[in-house]
Amino acid sequence: MVAAGLHTDDEGIDSGAVVDYNGNPVDQSKTGGWLGAGLILGTELAERVCVMGISMNLVTYLVGDLHLSTSESANIVTNFMGALNLLALLGGFLADAKLGRYMTVAIFSVITAAGVSLLTMATSLSSMRPPACDSVRVAHHECVAASGDQLAMLFVSLYTIALGAGGIKANVSGFGSDQFDNRDPKEEKAMIFFFNRFYFCISLGSLFAVTVLVYIQDNVARGWGYGISAGTMVAAVVVLLSGTRLYRYRRPQGSPLTVIWRVLFAAWRKRSVPLPAHPSQLNEYSSAKVAHTERFRCLDKAAVNEEFKTSSSSSSDKEVEDCSKIAASGCCTVTQVEEVKMVLKLLPIWSTCILFWTVYSQMTTFSVEQATYMNRHIGRSFLYPSGSLSFFLFISILLFTSLNEKLLVPLARTLTGRPHGVTSLQRAGVGLVLSILAMVVSALVEKYRRDSAPTEIISVFWLVPQFFLVGAGEAFAYVGQLEFFIREAPERMKSMSTGLFLSTLSMGFFFSSLLVSLVDKATDGGWIKNNLDKGRLDYFYWMLAVLGVINFAVFLLFASRHEYKVQNFSSEMKQGTTTKELESWKDDVSVDEQIKGMDV
């Protein structure tokens, strides 16, 4: 099956244009909109069912069935989630460079289905688990741990899932946003709520995973729980393919990494070449698709054209030859340079988003392990699954996502006069604050649980507030960060920018693994013990809270200095307008008409 997203430039259609399945200009009445976006969201819904159904309860399987240590089990989970989100960069690269978003999502959905099927086998075969041990040994964590051979199949299946899910996550939101035309007032209005509804929808999948699937894993069989996930993923592939003729496609425009490499390499090789007196002398300045900016001016040297260099006293034939080697068409263009500048502008915010996901990772590891030490009985017969505590996390996400769309955003829009109400960075900042509060609450609850352990086993529902706070934080942070990276990225690099956003999740999970290892070594296992009653997990939570405060201060500094990308140019606006000219132009038209979301 060949989608329009894979067609080469023919029929005179611009490579960056949105086309239908046959490669023709789209008919908006028959393609895209919420019909196409809804089918696409089904794929992410299934991906979330699979990933959440695995990650939220995996630590109990590693500790309880494979008899691994608490710290080692936590690191396996966070490394799996870290790899999954890091591989989103690969998925974004492939989509932008060659495959297109549709084909990338379809291929990686099949890979995910294969990985979950393999995991079903790995957890169903008795030969893949060590011998069971008696209750005395369980209490002292002295059971025989799984061997390397038994872990091999588990790791292969987990990282196959990570590869597939990473490719889906990098492209499904971008592919969904391609179904809306922001030049159409009606579709632009729908686009405003797309990211909220996107996350609301996939949170429903997460809710199903941490309730129904986790219960089946704990009370029926792991294989049945993962088997349902595999079936869900197969169904999602069928749904995605069934809507092929209903989608709008944006053709891949070449590898964004190639553009970044060309610009950085050219700027370095021509570092001794002086900049022209005015940016209009840069290569293809007059036809640039992106306004020239004054930041990172050293990169402008990549666009110093041949005519300027040969008239300069410091120019040489070698510089001209170097530029020809960098790009077949000559020196880099102003558009290419400005696109790289846009990516570099994202990095400071990127770095401060990492710690939120380090906090989030605790909800899939230590918080779940804490639950196994608490009273989980409801009535006389029902034992609440440890992994199902994430139910409160996703309920919180659904609640605050709905409040954002129905109450907070309209209220902020009325108060500020901006179409988006609150900016993406404001959302992200609220998420960071809530993550700090979550770690403070986590530390206090863990201290109370540990102090009560000798005489009383407290209810597992003491853990609900920390799940609720992290869920509320995610409702703000995920949507805000995703919107920020997609809207602020260059058009040709949107899939890669989604991968860049997801890499913050990756770095957050990897940073959690690093912190656990460092703390375990520095305290000689004093804080994080196999028996949590003998450890000081509350100290670990306090450490994360302090790091969160420092990180938030740095975030505020970077956010206050960030200049939002101009989303829409006036039709009378000269292409290639400089920042100073743009400032002058802004004084003559309303904020809503010229730019959306410029304030932090």
Side-chain angles (χ1 to χ4, degrees):
M1 182 175 295
V2 180
L6 295 178
H7 291 175
T8 56
D9 288 343
D10 53 10
E11 306 174 18
I13 299 174
D14 176 35
S15 64
V18 178
V19 295
D20 64 13
Y21 174 79
N22 294 313
N24 301 317
V26 297
D27 181 346
Q28 292 192 355
S29 64
K30 297 181 179 179
T31 62
W34 280 111
L35 175 59
L39 295 175
I40 294 165
L41 289 179
T43 306
E44 177 61 13
L45 181 71
E47 180 272 332
R48 186 53 66 99
V49 166
C50 293
V51 172
M52 290 298 104
I54 295 167
S55 62
M56 288 299 178
N57 203 32
L58 183 59
V59 70
T60 61
Y61 177 72
L62 297 173
V63 174
D65 291 73
L66 301 188
H67 312 150
L68 303 180
S69 69
T70 300
S71 59
E72 184 181 2
S73 299
N75 284 350
I76 288 174
V77 175
T78 52
N79 287 339
F80 161 65
M81 294 298 293
L84 186 156
N85 290 289
L86 187 62
L87 286 167
L89 284 173
L90 173 62
F93 168 77
L94 290 175
D96 284 336
K98 184 66 177 177
L99 296 179
R101 291 168 187 154
Y102 166 80
M103 190 58 71
T104 305
V105 171
I107 292 172
F108 282 84
S109 295
V110 174
I111 293 174
T112 304
V116 183
S117 299
L118 189 61
L119 181 64
T120 303
M121 295 176 58
T123 54
S124 299
L125 298 174
S126 59
S127 59
M128 293 293 102
R129 298 189 300 271
C133 51
D134 57 51
S135 58
V136 175
R137 288 179 176 273
V138 170
H140 292 85
H141 290 263
E142 295 176 352
C143 302
V144 176
S147 66
D149 291 340
Q150 291 172 326
L151 291 174
M153 188 174 181
L154 176 71
F155 287 148
V156 169
S157 59
L158 286 177
Y159 286 98
T160 300
I161 295 168
L163 173 63
I168 295 172
K169 292 172 77 70
N171 295 285
V172 71
S173 57
F175 189 33
S177 66
D178 286 344
Q179 309 310 306
F180 301 93
D181 183 357
N182 58 15
R183 296 170 298 180
D184 183 294
K186 184 178 180 181
E187 294 201 9
E188 168 66 14
K189 183 178 180 180
M191 182 67 177
I192 291 175
F193 294 109
F194 170 72
F195 294 109
N196 260 349
R197 292 179 181 177
F198 166 80
Y199 203 65
F200 182 90
C201 180
I202 62 177
S203 294
L204 288 176
S206 301
L207 200 59
F208 173 79
V210 301
T211 52
V212 177
L213 291 186
V214 167
Y215 180 83
I216 291 174
Q217 291 166 16
D218 284 356
N219 295 278
V220 181
R222 288 273 169 174
W224 278 103
Y226 295 147
I228 292 173
S229 296
T232 302
M233 200 67 236
V234 171
V237 173
V238 174
V239 170
L240 177 71
L241 297 180
S242 69
T244 299
R245 295 183 180 274
L246 301 176
Y247 304 136
R248 299 174 189 174
Y249 302 88
R250 190 177 297 276
R251 293 172 170 173
Q253 301 179 54
S255 167
L257 290 181
T258 301
V259 174
I260 294 173
W261 163 249
R262 283 177 178 173
V263 171
L264 296 178
F265 185 71
W268 170 256
R269 293 299 296 269
K270 293 189 287 183
R271 61 189 181 279
S272 60
V273 175
L275 288 168
H278 192 273
S280 61
Q281 295 177 277
L282 296 174
N283 187 31
E284 296 189 18
Y285 172 85
S286 60
S287 59
K289 298 179 181 178
V290 183
H292 177 266
T293 60
E294 297 297 321
R295 284 192 174 187
F296 305 112
R297 290 203 66 201
C298 59
L299 295 180
D300 287 344
K301 294 187 177 184
V304 172
N305 58 42
E306 185 175 346
E307 289 77 13
F308 174 75
K309 288 195 301 177
T310 54
S311 64
S312 173
S313 58
S314 63
S315 62
S316 65
D317 292 338
K318 185 177 184 302
E319 293 292 344
V320 177
E321 293 174 3
D322 289 340
C323 190
S324 298
K325 293 178 181 179
I326 294 168
S329 60
C331 297
C332 301
T333 66
V334 169
T335 298
Q336 292 172 333
V337 171
E338 290 302 323
E339 287 177 338
V340 174
K341 288 182 181 180
M342 288 181 192
V343 174
L344 293 178
K345 284 171 61 179
L346 300 178
L347 296 182
I349 300 299
W350 175 88
S351 66
T352 55
C353 291
I354 291 173
L355 196 65
F356 176 87
W357 301 106
T358 299
V359 170
Y360 175 89
S361 68
Q362 310 314 311
M363 301 302 104
T364 66
T365 54
F366 292 128
S367 292
V368 175
E369 181 66 6
Q370 279 177 274
T372 64
Y373 287 79
M374 303 172 78
N375 182 8
R376 295 185 285 127
H377 287 90
I378 299 178
R380 294 184 177 182
S381 58
F382 184 76
L383 186 66
Y384 194 87
S386 300
S388 290
L389 278 171
S390 298
F391 167 84
F392 299 100
L393 184 146
F394 293 113
I395 282 292
S396 178
I397 292 172
L398 292 173
L399 174 62
F400 280 92
T401 302
S402 298
L403 287 176
N404 280 340
E405 181 173 332
K406 302 298 183 182
L407 179 62
L408 299 180
V409 171
L411 178 61
R413 186 186 296 120
T414 301
L415 295 175
T416 64
R418 304 190 194 102
H420 293 283
V422 293
T423 68
S424 54
L425 289 181
Q426 287 171 341
R427 292 176 190 256
V430 172
L432 292 177
V433 171
L434 290 172
S435 71
I436 296 170
L437 294 177
M439 286 298 94
V440 171
V441 171
S442 298
L444 294 174
V445 170
E446 171 58 13
K447 185 177 187 303
Y448 175 61
R449 184 204 68 78
R450 182 179 178 276
D451 291 345
S452 303
T455 57
E456 178 188 5
I457 301 178
I458 65 173
S459 171
V460 72
F461 296 109
W462 276 91
L463 298 176
V464 169
Q466 63 200 59
F467 279 89
F468 191 83
L469 284 169
V470 171
E474 186 177 356
F476 286 96
Y478 192 105
V479 174
Q481 292 173 26
L482 179 61
E483 180 182 358
F484 175 79
F485 281 95
I486 287 184
R487 292 180 67 87
E488 294 297 294
E491 188 63 36
R492 79 167 79 191
M493 301 182 185
K494 282 195 172 182
S495 289
M496 182 180 168
S497 68
T498 307
L500 184 64
F501 155 64
L502 291 171
S503 71
T504 64
L505 280 73
S506 172
M507 293 299 103
F509 284 109
F510 284 140
F511 187 53
S512 177
S513 296
L514 177 63
L515 281 180
V516 170
S517 298
L518 291 177
V519 166
D520 196 48
K521 184 175 181 180
T523 64
D524 196 23
W527 285 12
I528 304 173
K529 291 182 176 292
N530 289 342
N531 186 339
L532 294 185
D533 289 341
K534 298 180 180 179
R536 294 309 305 254
L537 185 60
D538 54 324
Y539 289 174
F540 182 75
Y541 287 147
W542 279 119
M543 181 187 69
L544 286 176
V546 172
L547 290 175
V549 171
I550 297 171
N551 180 74
F552 181 66
V554 177
F555 170 83
L556 289 179
L557 176 64
F558 288 150
S560 64
R561 296 182 177 183
H562 180 79
E563 295 180 4
Y564 280 85
K565 183 181 79 173
V566 176
Q567 300 293 342
N568 295 306
F569 286 97
S570 167
S571 59
E572 300 177 356
M573 184 77 174
K574 178 184 176 182
Q575 289 183 327
T577 305
T578 63
T579 302
K580 292 182 179 179
E581 292 169 331
L582 178 61
E583 291 296 327
S584 175
W585 171 68
K586 288 197 299 183
D587 293 335
D588 299 327
V589 293
S590 70
V591 172
D592 288 354
E593 291 174 345
Q594 58 174 287
I595 193 169
K596 295 180 178 180
M598 285 290 286
D599 298 328
V600 175

